PDB file of all heavy atoms in Angstrom:
ATOM      1  N   PRO A   1     -38.661 -10.547 -32.727  1.00  0.00           N
ATOM      2  CA  PRO A   1     -38.980 -11.972 -33.109  1.00  0.00           C
ATOM      3  C   PRO A   1     -40.540 -12.196 -33.093  1.00  0.00           C
ATOM      4  O   PRO A   1     -41.164 -11.842 -32.139  1.00  0.00           O
ATOM      5  CB  PRO A   1     -38.282 -12.842 -32.074  1.00  0.00           C
ATOM      6  CG  PRO A   1     -37.304 -11.902 -31.394  1.00  0.00           C
ATOM      7  CD  PRO A   1     -37.927 -10.538 -31.476  1.00  0.00           C
ATOM      8  N   LEU A   2     -41.033 -12.731 -34.165  1.00  0.00           N
ATOM      9  CA  LEU A   2     -42.517 -12.890 -34.287  1.00  0.00           C
ATOM     10  C   LEU A   2     -43.029 -13.883 -33.289  1.00  0.00           C
ATOM     11  O   LEU A   2     -44.205 -13.812 -32.819  1.00  0.00           O
ATOM     12  CB  LEU A   2     -42.869 -13.365 -35.663  1.00  0.00           C
ATOM     13  CG  LEU A   2     -42.814 -12.245 -36.754  1.00  0.00           C
ATOM     14  CD1 LEU A   2     -42.878 -12.815 -38.165  1.00  0.00           C
ATOM     15  CD2 LEU A   2     -43.987 -11.235 -36.546  1.00  0.00           C
ATOM     16  N   HIS A   3     -42.216 -14.839 -32.831  1.00  0.00           N
ATOM     17  CA  HIS A   3     -42.726 -15.869 -31.923  1.00  0.00           C
ATOM     18  C   HIS A   3     -42.985 -15.307 -30.490  1.00  0.00           C
ATOM     19  O   HIS A   3     -43.589 -15.949 -29.687  1.00  0.00           O
ATOM     20  CB  HIS A   3     -41.813 -17.086 -31.831  1.00  0.00           C
ATOM     21  CG  HIS A   3     -40.524 -16.830 -31.083  1.00  0.00           C
ATOM     22  ND1 HIS A   3     -39.396 -16.265 -31.731  1.00  0.00           N
ATOM     23  CD2 HIS A   3     -40.147 -17.053 -29.828  1.00  0.00           C
ATOM     24  CE1 HIS A   3     -38.431 -16.136 -30.875  1.00  0.00           C
ATOM     25  NE2 HIS A   3     -38.867 -16.650 -29.662  1.00  0.00           N
ATOM     26  N   LEU A   4     -42.474 -14.063 -30.266  1.00  0.00           N
ATOM     27  CA  LEU A   4     -42.702 -13.451 -29.007  1.00  0.00           C
ATOM     28  C   LEU A   4     -43.871 -12.467 -28.996  1.00  0.00           C
ATOM     29  O   LEU A   4     -44.208 -11.862 -27.982  1.00  0.00           O
ATOM     30  CB  LEU A   4     -41.427 -12.721 -28.515  1.00  0.00           C
ATOM     31  CG  LEU A   4     -40.148 -13.569 -28.246  1.00  0.00           C
ATOM     32  CD1 LEU A   4     -39.028 -12.707 -27.809  1.00  0.00           C
ATOM     33  CD2 LEU A   4     -40.503 -14.643 -27.185  1.00  0.00           C
ATOM     34  N   LEU A   5     -44.494 -12.308 -30.137  1.00  0.00           N
ATOM     35  CA  LEU A   5     -45.587 -11.338 -30.328  1.00  0.00           C
ATOM     36  C   LEU A   5     -46.951 -12.015 -30.368  1.00  0.00           C
ATOM     37  O   LEU A   5     -47.145 -13.050 -31.003  1.00  0.00           O
ATOM     38  CB  LEU A   5     -45.384 -10.554 -31.602  1.00  0.00           C
ATOM     39  CG  LEU A   5     -44.157  -9.660 -31.725  1.00  0.00           C
ATOM     40  CD1 LEU A   5     -44.104  -8.913 -33.035  1.00  0.00           C
ATOM     41  CD2 LEU A   5     -44.065  -8.659 -30.539  1.00  0.00           C
ATOM     42  N   GLY A   6     -47.916 -11.376 -29.710  1.00  0.00           N
ATOM     43  CA  GLY A   6     -49.271 -11.792 -29.812  1.00  0.00           C
ATOM     44  C   GLY A   6     -50.050 -10.923 -30.725  1.00  0.00           C
ATOM     45  O   GLY A   6     -51.087 -11.308 -31.244  1.00  0.00           O
ATOM     46  N   GLY A   7     -49.519  -9.702 -31.028  1.00  0.00           N
ATOM     47  CA  GLY A   7     -50.244  -8.802 -31.928  1.00  0.00           C
ATOM     48  C   GLY A   7     -49.359  -7.645 -32.308  1.00  0.00           C
ATOM     49  O   GLY A   7     -48.375  -7.318 -31.676  1.00  0.00           O
ATOM     50  N   ILE A   8     -49.748  -7.029 -33.442  1.00  0.00           N
ATOM     51  CA  ILE A   8     -49.103  -5.790 -33.890  1.00  0.00           C
ATOM     52  C   ILE A   8     -50.217  -4.757 -34.058  1.00  0.00           C
ATOM     53  O   ILE A   8     -51.197  -4.969 -34.708  1.00  0.00           O
ATOM     54  CB  ILE A   8     -48.394  -6.002 -35.236  1.00  0.00           C
ATOM     55  CG1 ILE A   8     -47.321  -7.081 -35.115  1.00  0.00           C
ATOM     56  CG2 ILE A   8     -47.770  -4.720 -35.743  1.00  0.00           C
ATOM     57  CD1 ILE A   8     -46.618  -7.473 -36.418  1.00  0.00           C
ATOM     58  N   VAL A   9     -50.043  -3.572 -33.467  1.00  0.00           N
ATOM     59  CA  VAL A   9     -51.031  -2.547 -33.501  1.00  0.00           C
ATOM     60  C   VAL A   9     -50.386  -1.294 -34.151  1.00  0.00           C
ATOM     61  O   VAL A   9     -49.354  -0.792 -33.658  1.00  0.00           O
ATOM     62  CB  VAL A   9     -51.527  -2.189 -32.077  1.00  0.00           C
ATOM     63  CG1 VAL A   9     -52.604  -1.060 -32.157  1.00  0.00           C
ATOM     64  CG2 VAL A   9     -52.141  -3.422 -31.401  1.00  0.00           C
ATOM     65  N   CYS A  10     -50.975  -0.817 -35.240  1.00  0.00           N
ATOM     66  CA  CYS A  10     -50.410   0.302 -36.001  1.00  0.00           C
ATOM     67  C   CYS A  10     -51.322   1.495 -35.843  1.00  0.00           C
ATOM     68  O   CYS A  10     -52.533   1.421 -36.081  1.00  0.00           O
ATOM     69  CB  CYS A  10     -50.288  -0.043 -37.493  1.00  0.00           C
ATOM     70  SG  CYS A  10     -49.285  -1.562 -37.781  1.00  0.00           S
ATOM     71  N   PHE A  11     -50.735   2.651 -35.545  1.00  0.00           N
ATOM     72  CA  PHE A  11     -51.469   3.893 -35.380  1.00  0.00           C
ATOM     73  C   PHE A  11     -51.162   4.798 -36.551  1.00  0.00           C
ATOM     74  O   PHE A  11     -50.011   5.058 -36.865  1.00  0.00           O
ATOM     75  CB  PHE A  11     -51.114   4.568 -34.046  1.00  0.00           C
ATOM     76  CG  PHE A  11     -51.572   3.837 -32.827  1.00  0.00           C
ATOM     77  CD1 PHE A  11     -50.779   2.881 -32.278  1.00  0.00           C
ATOM     78  CD2 PHE A  11     -52.839   4.071 -32.280  1.00  0.00           C
ATOM     79  CE1 PHE A  11     -51.212   2.176 -31.140  1.00  0.00           C
ATOM     80  CE2 PHE A  11     -53.233   3.396 -31.115  1.00  0.00           C
ATOM     81  CZ  PHE A  11     -52.381   2.436 -30.569  1.00  0.00           C
ATOM     82  N   GLY A  12     -52.152   5.370 -37.144  1.00  0.00           N
ATOM     83  CA  GLY A  12     -52.004   6.333 -38.233  1.00  0.00           C
ATOM     84  C   GLY A  12     -51.606   5.649 -39.527  1.00  0.00           C
ATOM     85  O   GLY A  12     -51.977   4.516 -39.843  1.00  0.00           O
ATOM     86  N   THR A  13     -50.789   6.314 -40.291  1.00  0.00           N
ATOM     87  CA  THR A  13     -50.385   5.870 -41.656  1.00  0.00           C
ATOM     88  C   THR A  13     -49.187   4.967 -41.518  1.00  0.00           C
ATOM     89  O   THR A  13     -48.014   5.466 -41.492  1.00  0.00           O
ATOM     90  CB  THR A  13     -50.099   7.038 -42.603  1.00  0.00           C
ATOM     91  OG1 THR A  13     -51.222   7.937 -42.567  1.00  0.00           O
ATOM     92  CG2 THR A  13     -49.842   6.554 -44.035  1.00  0.00           C
ATOM     93  N   VAL A  14     -49.334   3.677 -41.427  1.00  0.00           N
ATOM     94  CA  VAL A  14     -48.289   2.717 -41.301  1.00  0.00           C
ATOM     95  C   VAL A  14     -48.475   1.656 -42.396  1.00  0.00           C
ATOM     96  O   VAL A  14     -49.586   1.128 -42.564  1.00  0.00           O
ATOM     97  CB  VAL A  14     -48.241   2.011 -39.925  1.00  0.00           C
ATOM     98  CG1 VAL A  14     -47.179   0.922 -39.841  1.00  0.00           C
ATOM     99  CG2 VAL A  14     -48.050   3.040 -38.810  1.00  0.00           C
ATOM    100  N   GLY A  15     -47.425   1.346 -43.141  1.00  0.00           N
ATOM    101  CA  GLY A  15     -47.472   0.326 -44.188  1.00  0.00           C
ATOM    102  C   GLY A  15     -46.903  -0.995 -43.781  1.00  0.00           C
ATOM    103  O   GLY A  15     -46.146  -1.126 -42.797  1.00  0.00           O
ATOM    104  N   MET A  16     -47.273  -2.054 -44.505  1.00  0.00           N
ATOM    105  CA  MET A  16     -46.795  -3.411 -44.168  1.00  0.00           C
ATOM    106  C   MET A  16     -46.733  -4.262 -45.380  1.00  0.00           C
ATOM    107  O   MET A  16     -47.593  -4.161 -46.280  1.00  0.00           O
ATOM    108  CB  MET A  16     -47.750  -4.015 -43.128  1.00  0.00           C
ATOM    109  CG  MET A  16     -47.378  -5.330 -42.540  1.00  0.00           C
ATOM    110  SD  MET A  16     -48.496  -5.861 -41.238  1.00  0.00           S
ATOM    111  CE  MET A  16     -48.406  -4.471 -40.122  1.00  0.00           C
ATOM    112  N   SER A  17     -45.718  -5.095 -45.516  1.00  0.00           N
ATOM    113  CA  SER A  17     -45.531  -5.967 -46.674  1.00  0.00           C
ATOM    114  C   SER A  17     -46.564  -7.127 -46.657  1.00  0.00           C
ATOM    115  O   SER A  17     -46.885  -7.600 -45.565  1.00  0.00           O
ATOM    116  CB  SER A  17     -44.139  -6.522 -46.733  1.00  0.00           C
ATOM    117  OG  SER A  17     -43.937  -7.498 -45.708  1.00  0.00           O
ATOM    118  N   PRO A  18     -47.062  -7.576 -47.821  1.00  0.00           N
ATOM    119  CA  PRO A  18     -47.952  -8.734 -47.906  1.00  0.00           C
ATOM    120  C   PRO A  18     -47.324  -9.957 -47.258  1.00  0.00           C
ATOM    121  O   PRO A  18     -47.994 -10.780 -46.648  1.00  0.00           O
ATOM    122  CB  PRO A  18     -48.206  -8.876 -49.378  1.00  0.00           C
ATOM    123  CG  PRO A  18     -47.959  -7.542 -49.923  1.00  0.00           C
ATOM    124  CD  PRO A  18     -46.858  -6.918 -49.162  1.00  0.00           C
ATOM    125  N   ALA A  19     -45.975 -10.114 -47.420  1.00  0.00           N
ATOM    126  CA  ALA A  19     -45.299 -11.303 -46.865  1.00  0.00           C
ATOM    127  C   ALA A  19     -45.459 -11.314 -45.336  1.00  0.00           C
ATOM    128  O   ALA A  19     -45.679 -12.375 -44.734  1.00  0.00           O
ATOM    129  CB  ALA A  19     -43.841 -11.318 -47.243  1.00  0.00           C
ATOM    130  N   LEU A  20     -45.309 -10.161 -44.677  1.00  0.00           N
ATOM    131  CA  LEU A  20     -45.453 -10.108 -43.233  1.00  0.00           C
ATOM    132  C   LEU A  20     -46.887 -10.374 -42.824  1.00  0.00           C
ATOM    133  O   LEU A  20     -47.095 -11.125 -41.857  1.00  0.00           O
ATOM    134  CB  LEU A  20     -44.983  -8.729 -42.736  1.00  0.00           C
ATOM    135  CG  LEU A  20     -45.163  -8.474 -41.220  1.00  0.00           C
ATOM    136  CD1 LEU A  20     -44.330  -9.484 -40.404  1.00  0.00           C
ATOM    137  CD2 LEU A  20     -44.739  -7.056 -40.842  1.00  0.00           C
ATOM    138  N   MET A  21     -47.840  -9.787 -43.518  1.00  0.00           N
ATOM    139  CA  MET A  21     -49.249 -10.068 -43.236  1.00  0.00           C
ATOM    140  C   MET A  21     -49.592 -11.542 -43.273  1.00  0.00           C
ATOM    141  O   MET A  21     -50.249 -12.116 -42.383  1.00  0.00           O
ATOM    142  CB  MET A  21     -50.158  -9.265 -44.173  1.00  0.00           C
ATOM    143  CG  MET A  21     -50.175  -7.781 -43.926  1.00  0.00           C
ATOM    144  SD  MET A  21     -51.452  -7.006 -44.974  1.00  0.00           S
ATOM    145  CE  MET A  21     -51.176  -5.277 -44.642  1.00  0.00           C
ATOM    146  N   GLY A  22     -49.117 -12.171 -44.356  1.00  0.00           N
ATOM    147  CA  GLY A  22     -49.418 -13.609 -44.531  1.00  0.00           C
ATOM    148  C   GLY A  22     -48.801 -14.444 -43.466  1.00  0.00           C
ATOM    149  O   GLY A  22     -49.406 -15.376 -42.923  1.00  0.00           O
ATOM    150  N   HIS A  23     -47.510 -14.142 -43.085  1.00  0.00           N
ATOM    151  CA  HIS A  23     -46.868 -14.924 -42.074  1.00  0.00           C
ATOM    152  C   HIS A  23     -47.486 -14.733 -40.678  1.00  0.00           C
ATOM    153  O   HIS A  23     -47.606 -15.668 -39.905  1.00  0.00           O
ATOM    154  CB  HIS A  23     -45.345 -14.534 -42.028  1.00  0.00           C
ATOM    155  CG  HIS A  23     -44.504 -15.577 -41.365  1.00  0.00           C
ATOM    156  ND1 HIS A  23     -44.483 -16.908 -41.707  1.00  0.00           N
ATOM    157  CD2 HIS A  23     -43.572 -15.438 -40.321  1.00  0.00           C
ATOM    158  CE1 HIS A  23     -43.651 -17.578 -40.978  1.00  0.00           C
ATOM    159  NE2 HIS A  23     -43.107 -16.736 -40.119  1.00  0.00           N
ATOM    160  N   CYS A  24     -47.857 -13.474 -40.407  1.00  0.00           N
ATOM    161  CA  CYS A  24     -48.558 -13.221 -39.122  1.00  0.00           C
ATOM    162  C   CYS A  24     -49.873 -14.035 -39.052  1.00  0.00           C
ATOM    163  O   CYS A  24     -50.196 -14.559 -37.984  1.00  0.00           O
ATOM    164  CB  CYS A  24     -48.816 -11.722 -38.939  1.00  0.00           C
ATOM    165  SG  CYS A  24     -47.379 -10.752 -38.534  1.00  0.00           S
ATOM    166  N   ALA A  25     -50.574 -14.077 -40.157  1.00  0.00           N
ATOM    167  CA  ALA A  25     -51.850 -14.842 -40.216  1.00  0.00           C
ATOM    168  C   ALA A  25     -51.552 -16.306 -39.882  1.00  0.00           C
ATOM    169  O   ALA A  25     -52.325 -16.985 -39.177  1.00  0.00           O
ATOM    170  CB  ALA A  25     -52.522 -14.706 -41.535  1.00  0.00           C
ATOM    171  N   GLU A  26     -50.452 -16.855 -40.434  1.00  0.00           N
ATOM    172  CA  GLU A  26     -50.115 -18.293 -40.198  1.00  0.00           C
ATOM    173  C   GLU A  26     -49.743 -18.533 -38.721  1.00  0.00           C
ATOM    174  O   GLU A  26     -50.067 -19.546 -38.172  1.00  0.00           O
ATOM    175  CB  GLU A  26     -48.943 -18.661 -41.076  1.00  0.00           C
ATOM    176  CG  GLU A  26     -49.304 -18.756 -42.568  1.00  0.00           C
ATOM    177  CD  GLU A  26     -48.066 -19.046 -43.439  1.00  0.00           C
ATOM    178  OE1 GLU A  26     -46.950 -19.221 -42.823  1.00  0.00           O
ATOM    179  OE2 GLU A  26     -48.199 -19.117 -44.694  1.00  0.00           O
ATOM    180  N   LEU A  27     -49.083 -17.569 -38.134  1.00  0.00           N
ATOM    181  CA  LEU A  27     -48.615 -17.708 -36.758  1.00  0.00           C
ATOM    182  C   LEU A  27     -49.658 -17.360 -35.740  1.00  0.00           C
ATOM    183  O   LEU A  27     -49.432 -17.600 -34.509  1.00  0.00           O
ATOM    184  CB  LEU A  27     -47.340 -16.891 -36.559  1.00  0.00           C
ATOM    185  CG  LEU A  27     -46.092 -17.222 -37.333  1.00  0.00           C
ATOM    186  CD1 LEU A  27     -44.952 -16.241 -37.033  1.00  0.00           C
ATOM    187  CD2 LEU A  27     -45.654 -18.625 -37.095  1.00  0.00           C
ATOM    188  N   GLY A  28     -50.718 -16.751 -36.144  1.00  0.00           N
ATOM    189  CA  GLY A  28     -51.743 -16.329 -35.206  1.00  0.00           C
ATOM    190  C   GLY A  28     -51.444 -14.980 -34.549  1.00  0.00           C
ATOM    191  O   GLY A  28     -51.984 -14.650 -33.492  1.00  0.00           O
ATOM    192  N   VAL A  29     -50.600 -14.154 -35.192  1.00  0.00           N
ATOM    193  CA  VAL A  29     -50.254 -12.812 -34.656  1.00  0.00           C
ATOM    194  C   VAL A  29     -51.285 -11.843 -35.340  1.00  0.00           C
ATOM    195  O   VAL A  29     -51.261 -11.620 -36.557  1.00  0.00           O
ATOM    196  CB  VAL A  29     -48.812 -12.440 -35.045  1.00  0.00           C
ATOM    197  CG1 VAL A  29     -48.534 -10.990 -34.611  1.00  0.00           C
ATOM    198  CG2 VAL A  29     -47.798 -13.367 -34.453  1.00  0.00           C
ATOM    199  N   ARG A  30     -52.114 -11.256 -34.529  1.00  0.00           N
ATOM    200  CA  ARG A  30     -53.201 -10.379 -35.089  1.00  0.00           C
ATOM    201  C   ARG A  30     -52.646  -8.991 -35.334  1.00  0.00           C
ATOM    202  O   ARG A  30     -51.869  -8.434 -34.523  1.00  0.00           O
ATOM    203  CB  ARG A  30     -54.361 -10.323 -34.113  1.00  0.00           C
ATOM    204  CG  ARG A  30     -55.146 -11.613 -34.063  1.00  0.00           C
ATOM    205  CD  ARG A  30     -56.255 -11.533 -32.997  1.00  0.00           C
ATOM    206  NE  ARG A  30     -57.130 -12.667 -33.146  1.00  0.00           N
ATOM    207  CZ  ARG A  30     -56.906 -13.888 -32.658  1.00  0.00           C
ATOM    208  NH1 ARG A  30     -55.772 -14.045 -31.996  1.00  0.00           N
ATOM    209  NH2 ARG A  30     -57.759 -14.832 -32.772  1.00  0.00           N
ATOM    210  N   ILE A  31     -53.057  -8.439 -36.470  1.00  0.00           N
ATOM    211  CA  ILE A  31     -52.585  -7.074 -36.855  1.00  0.00           C
ATOM    212  C   ILE A  31     -53.804  -6.154 -36.815  1.00  0.00           C
ATOM    213  O   ILE A  31     -54.836  -6.477 -37.426  1.00  0.00           O
ATOM    214  CB  ILE A  31     -52.021  -7.098 -38.282  1.00  0.00           C
ATOM    215  CG1 ILE A  31     -50.827  -8.085 -38.369  1.00  0.00           C
ATOM    216  CG2 ILE A  31     -51.570  -5.695 -38.641  1.00  0.00           C
ATOM    217  CD1 ILE A  31     -50.408  -8.304 -39.784  1.00  0.00           C
ATOM    218  N   SER A  32     -53.657  -5.068 -36.087  1.00  0.00           N
ATOM    219  CA  SER A  32     -54.799  -4.086 -35.918  1.00  0.00           C
ATOM    220  C   SER A  32     -54.298  -2.771 -36.439  1.00  0.00           C
ATOM    221  O   SER A  32     -53.202  -2.318 -36.159  1.00  0.00           O
ATOM    222  CB  SER A  32     -55.244  -3.986 -34.452  1.00  0.00           C
ATOM    223  OG  SER A  32     -55.645  -5.248 -33.976  1.00  0.00           O
ATOM    224  N   PHE A  33     -55.147  -2.102 -37.198  1.00  0.00           N
ATOM    225  CA  PHE A  33     -54.917  -0.715 -37.686  1.00  0.00           C
ATOM    226  C   PHE A  33     -55.851   0.253 -36.965  1.00  0.00           C
ATOM    227  O   PHE A  33     -57.064   0.011 -37.041  1.00  0.00           O
ATOM    228  CB  PHE A  33     -55.126  -0.668 -39.217  1.00  0.00           C
ATOM    229  CG  PHE A  33     -54.090  -1.487 -39.976  1.00  0.00           C
ATOM    230  CD1 PHE A  33     -54.380  -2.809 -40.402  1.00  0.00           C
ATOM    231  CD2 PHE A  33     -52.841  -0.965 -40.292  1.00  0.00           C
ATOM    232  CE1 PHE A  33     -53.403  -3.536 -41.075  1.00  0.00           C
ATOM    233  CE2 PHE A  33     -51.897  -1.688 -40.983  1.00  0.00           C
ATOM    234  CZ  PHE A  33     -52.175  -3.003 -41.350  1.00  0.00           C
ATOM    235  N   MET A  34     -55.285   1.232 -36.352  1.00  0.00           N
ATOM    236  CA  MET A  34     -56.009   2.190 -35.587  1.00  0.00           C
ATOM    237  C   MET A  34     -55.781   3.596 -36.137  1.00  0.00           C
ATOM    238  O   MET A  34     -54.691   3.892 -36.705  1.00  0.00           O
ATOM    239  CB  MET A  34     -55.594   2.148 -34.126  1.00  0.00           C
ATOM    240  CG  MET A  34     -55.348   0.761 -33.542  1.00  0.00           C
ATOM    241  SD  MET A  34     -56.871  -0.116 -33.116  1.00  0.00           S
ATOM    242  CE  MET A  34     -57.171   0.492 -31.514  1.00  0.00           C
ATOM    243  N   GLY A  35     -56.740   4.485 -35.916  1.00  0.00           N
ATOM    244  CA  GLY A  35     -56.490   5.920 -36.245  1.00  0.00           C
ATOM    245  C   GLY A  35     -55.487   6.434 -35.297  1.00  0.00           C
ATOM    246  O   GLY A  35     -55.099   5.815 -34.267  1.00  0.00           O
ATOM    247  N   ARG A  36     -55.005   7.667 -35.517  1.00  0.00           N
ATOM    248  CA  ARG A  36     -54.016   8.256 -34.672  1.00  0.00           C
ATOM    249  C   ARG A  36     -54.440   8.371 -33.182  1.00  0.00           C
ATOM    250  O   ARG A  36     -53.606   8.315 -32.299  1.00  0.00           O
ATOM    251  CB  ARG A  36     -53.605   9.641 -35.197  1.00  0.00           C
ATOM    252  CG  ARG A  36     -52.892   9.655 -36.491  1.00  0.00           C
ATOM    253  CD  ARG A  36     -52.675  11.064 -37.019  1.00  0.00           C
ATOM    254  NE  ARG A  36     -51.921  11.845 -36.079  1.00  0.00           N
ATOM    255  CZ  ARG A  36     -50.584  11.820 -35.938  1.00  0.00           C
ATOM    256  NH1 ARG A  36     -49.881  11.018 -36.735  1.00  0.00           N
ATOM    257  NH2 ARG A  36     -49.954  12.597 -35.083  1.00  0.00           N
ATOM    258  N   ASN A  37     -55.778   8.531 -32.934  1.00  0.00           N
ATOM    259  CA  ASN A  37     -56.237   8.655 -31.595  1.00  0.00           C
ATOM    260  C   ASN A  37     -56.786   7.374 -31.010  1.00  0.00           C
ATOM    261  O   ASN A  37     -57.429   7.383 -29.980  1.00  0.00           O
ATOM    262  CB  ASN A  37     -57.343   9.741 -31.540  1.00  0.00           C
ATOM    263  CG  ASN A  37     -56.769  11.128 -31.956  1.00  0.00           C
ATOM    264  OD1 ASN A  37     -55.649  11.398 -31.631  1.00  0.00           O
ATOM    265  ND2 ASN A  37     -57.580  11.865 -32.638  1.00  0.00           N
ATOM    266  N   GLY A  38     -56.535   6.226 -31.687  1.00  0.00           N
ATOM    267  CA  GLY A  38     -56.949   4.960 -31.144  1.00  0.00           C
ATOM    268  C   GLY A  38     -58.203   4.410 -31.645  1.00  0.00           C
ATOM    269  O   GLY A  38     -58.671   3.337 -31.201  1.00  0.00           O
ATOM    270  N   ARG A  39     -58.877   5.068 -32.617  1.00  0.00           N
ATOM    271  CA  ARG A  39     -60.124   4.568 -33.187  1.00  0.00           C
ATOM    272  C   ARG A  39     -59.838   3.338 -34.060  1.00  0.00           C
ATOM    273  O   ARG A  39     -58.986   3.394 -34.934  1.00  0.00           O
ATOM    274  CB  ARG A  39     -60.830   5.643 -33.972  1.00  0.00           C
ATOM    275  CG  ARG A  39     -62.204   5.171 -34.503  1.00  0.00           C
ATOM    276  CD  ARG A  39     -62.962   6.382 -35.142  1.00  0.00           C
ATOM    277  NE  ARG A  39     -62.221   6.897 -36.265  1.00  0.00           N
ATOM    278  CZ  ARG A  39     -62.402   6.456 -37.536  1.00  0.00           C
ATOM    279  NH1 ARG A  39     -63.255   5.479 -37.773  1.00  0.00           N
ATOM    280  NH2 ARG A  39     -61.762   6.980 -38.505  1.00  0.00           N
ATOM    281  N   PHE A  40     -60.562   2.265 -33.800  1.00  0.00           N
ATOM    282  CA  PHE A  40     -60.321   1.000 -34.572  1.00  0.00           C
ATOM    283  C   PHE A  40     -60.715   1.217 -36.026  1.00  0.00           C
ATOM    284  O   PHE A  40     -61.765   1.781 -36.377  1.00  0.00           O
ATOM    285  CB  PHE A  40     -61.140  -0.124 -33.973  1.00  0.00           C
ATOM    286  CG  PHE A  40     -61.115  -1.418 -34.758  1.00  0.00           C
ATOM    287  CD1 PHE A  40     -60.024  -2.237 -34.636  1.00  0.00           C
ATOM    288  CD2 PHE A  40     -62.153  -1.722 -35.614  1.00  0.00           C
ATOM    289  CE1 PHE A  40     -60.041  -3.406 -35.406  1.00  0.00           C
ATOM    290  CE2 PHE A  40     -62.103  -2.861 -36.369  1.00  0.00           C
ATOM    291  CZ  PHE A  40     -61.040  -3.773 -36.236  1.00  0.00           C
ATOM    292  N   LEU A  41     -59.839   0.755 -36.916  1.00  0.00           N
ATOM    293  CA  LEU A  41     -60.079   0.804 -38.388  1.00  0.00           C
ATOM    294  C   LEU A  41     -60.264  -0.563 -39.007  1.00  0.00           C
ATOM    295  O   LEU A  41     -61.200  -0.805 -39.745  1.00  0.00           O
ATOM    296  CB  LEU A  41     -58.956   1.585 -39.061  1.00  0.00           C
ATOM    297  CG  LEU A  41     -58.685   3.023 -38.632  1.00  0.00           C
ATOM    298  CD1 LEU A  41     -57.506   3.573 -39.343  1.00  0.00           C
ATOM    299  CD2 LEU A  41     -59.949   3.837 -38.914  1.00  0.00           C
ATOM    300  N   ALA A  42     -59.320  -1.490 -38.747  1.00  0.00           N
ATOM    301  CA  ALA A  42     -59.351  -2.791 -39.458  1.00  0.00           C
ATOM    302  C   ALA A  42     -58.428  -3.737 -38.740  1.00  0.00           C
ATOM    303  O   ALA A  42     -57.534  -3.362 -37.926  1.00  0.00           O
ATOM    304  CB  ALA A  42     -58.934  -2.642 -40.885  1.00  0.00           C
ATOM    305  N   ARG A  43     -58.649  -5.076 -39.011  1.00  0.00           N
ATOM    306  CA  ARG A  43     -57.804  -6.103 -38.454  1.00  0.00           C
ATOM    307  C   ARG A  43     -57.456  -7.108 -39.539  1.00  0.00           C
ATOM    308  O   ARG A  43     -58.228  -7.289 -40.560  1.00  0.00           O
ATOM    309  CB  ARG A  43     -58.506  -6.865 -37.390  1.00  0.00           C
ATOM    310  CG  ARG A  43     -58.706  -6.078 -36.135  1.00  0.00           C
ATOM    311  CD  ARG A  43     -59.667  -6.819 -35.181  1.00  0.00           C
ATOM    312  NE  ARG A  43     -59.157  -8.046 -34.642  1.00  0.00           N
ATOM    313  CZ  ARG A  43     -58.398  -8.129 -33.544  1.00  0.00           C
ATOM    314  NH1 ARG A  43     -58.092  -7.012 -32.912  1.00  0.00           N
ATOM    315  NH2 ARG A  43     -57.976  -9.262 -33.116  1.00  0.00           N
ATOM    316  N   VAL A  44     -56.281  -7.649 -39.468  1.00  0.00           N
ATOM    317  CA  VAL A  44     -55.830  -8.772 -40.312  1.00  0.00           C
ATOM    318  C   VAL A  44     -55.527  -9.941 -39.434  1.00  0.00           C
ATOM    319  O   VAL A  44     -54.711  -9.807 -38.518  1.00  0.00           O
ATOM    320  CB  VAL A  44     -54.593  -8.377 -41.139  1.00  0.00           C
ATOM    321  CG1 VAL A  44     -54.134  -9.527 -42.007  1.00  0.00           C
ATOM    322  CG2 VAL A  44     -54.902  -7.184 -42.032  1.00  0.00           C
TER     323      VAL A  44
END
């Protein structure tokens, strides 16, 4: 459930739908993309 999440952290090659990205932005759920070893790449 999205209302129980404060963030989503993806490691490596992980895909995500635009609808999920937009809804997370509305709810304040931050999405972080990291390299396989934890190096920060990007945030939504």
Side-chain angles (χ1 to χ4, degrees):
L2 284 165
H3 73 276
L4 296 180
L5 296 180
I8 300 173
V9 181
C10 304
F11 293 88
T13 307
V14 175
M16 187 175 300
S17 71
L20 177 59
M21 288 187 183
H23 198 53
C24 286
E26 292 176 359
L27 297 178
V29 179
R30 289 177 170 80
I31 303 168
S32 301
F33 293 95
M34 319 283 275
R36 291 176 59 82
N37 297 324
R39 184 173 63 88
F40 173 80
L41 299 176
R43 289 168 69 87
V44 177

